[in-house]
Amino acid sequence: GGCFWGMEDLLRKIPGVLETEVGYTGGHLENPKYDDTHHSASGHAESVKVIYDPAKISFEQLLDVYWHHIDPLTPNAAFCDHGPQYRSIIFYGDTAQQRAAEESKRALDDSHRFPTPIVTAIQPATPFYPAEEYHQMFYKKNPAHYEAYRVGCRRDERTRQLWGEVAMSKEPAK
């Protein structure tokens, strides 16, 4: 979903999400750090590991929230952040999650909501490496900096443009 700060802020507010952790996954370098993912060809994307209670929220509902809070049309970028580390990507843990992710992407493409195809990748989860402590719950630790980033990046403006007011809801669609 791009910068992990914004995705973690969103995901932590969803009923049924028990824990989140920001980090790096999808690349080939072991134990990457921020500089490795942003200034080298490590292949990692900024990511959020989500632990959730399936009795309170389904994987499909999490996918719905995810789609409505990203820009699924721009390759290797998210809002004002550019580079492969910001690509939109869904990492799945098993075949049921893979199938659900692929079906949700196909349904969105088949809806013809957008004039161009969805570029969000769907890939098997690879080892997840936690980001540095200062990135964890950044939105709480540095609210002024986070809010300035969010406004300056025009994240809310772009999601509203793509999805309408549903993008501003933190609740999954029913």
Side-chain angles (χ1 to χ4, degrees):
C3 175
F4 47 35
W5 293 348
M7 291 306 294
E8 183 178 39
D9 175 25
L10 164 77
L11 292 165
R12 287 197 68 89
K13 295 173 183 172
I14 298 171
V17 170
L18 306 174
E19 289 180 43
T20 59
E21 183 176 29
V22 299
Y24 316 105
T25 193
H28 55 80
L29 184 67
E30 287 187 30
N31 298 309
K33 300 297 177 211
Y34 182 85
D35 285 345
D36 297 323
T37 62
H38 288 71
H39 305 294
S40 74
S42 75
H44 290 285
E46 286 196 9
S47 303
V48 181
K49 180 179 175 182
V50 179
I51 306 297
Y52 66 99
D53 180 349
K56 294 183 180 177
I57 187 165
S58 69
F59 184 71
E60 290 79 6
Q61 288 172 307
L62 284 171
L63 287 170
D64 185 61
V65 171
Y66 174 80
W67 287 120
H68 287 90
H69 288 84
I70 67 162
D71 176 349
L73 305 179
T74 307
N76 292 323
F79 312 102
C80 68
D81 296 312
H82 296 270
Q85 69 273 21
Y86 297 112
R87 67 194 182 274
S88 63
I89 186 166
I90 298 167
F91 292 101
Y92 59 84
D94 58 33
T95 56
Q97 287 182 350
Q98 177 185 11
R99 191 170 29 259
E102 289 172 351
E103 287 174 7
S104 70
K105 179 179 176 179
R106 188 171 28 261
L108 192 53
D109 260 336
D110 290 349
S111 76
H112 302 289
R113 177 181 187 96
F114 304 115
T116 59
I118 304 243
V119 298
T120 302
I122 298 171
Q123 297 178 345
T126 60
F128 177 87
Y129 301 98
E132 297 79 355
E133 185 55 37
Y134 69 90
H135 286 299
Q136 306 299 330
M137 289 194 256
F138 186 86
Y139 66 97
K140 280 186 174 180
K141 294 175 183 174
N142 299 285
H145 182 152
Y146 172 69
E147 191 58 31
Y149 163 79
R150 189 173 181 88
V151 170
C153 220
R154 299 182 171 187
R155 184 179 189 107
D156 295 338
E157 182 181 322
R158 177 66 173 151
T159 53
R160 235 185 250 105
Q161 179 187 37
L162 290 165
W163 301 101
E165 288 304 314
V166 71
M168 303 321 297
S169 169
K170 305 279 191 285
E171 297 287 328
K174 302 282 185 216

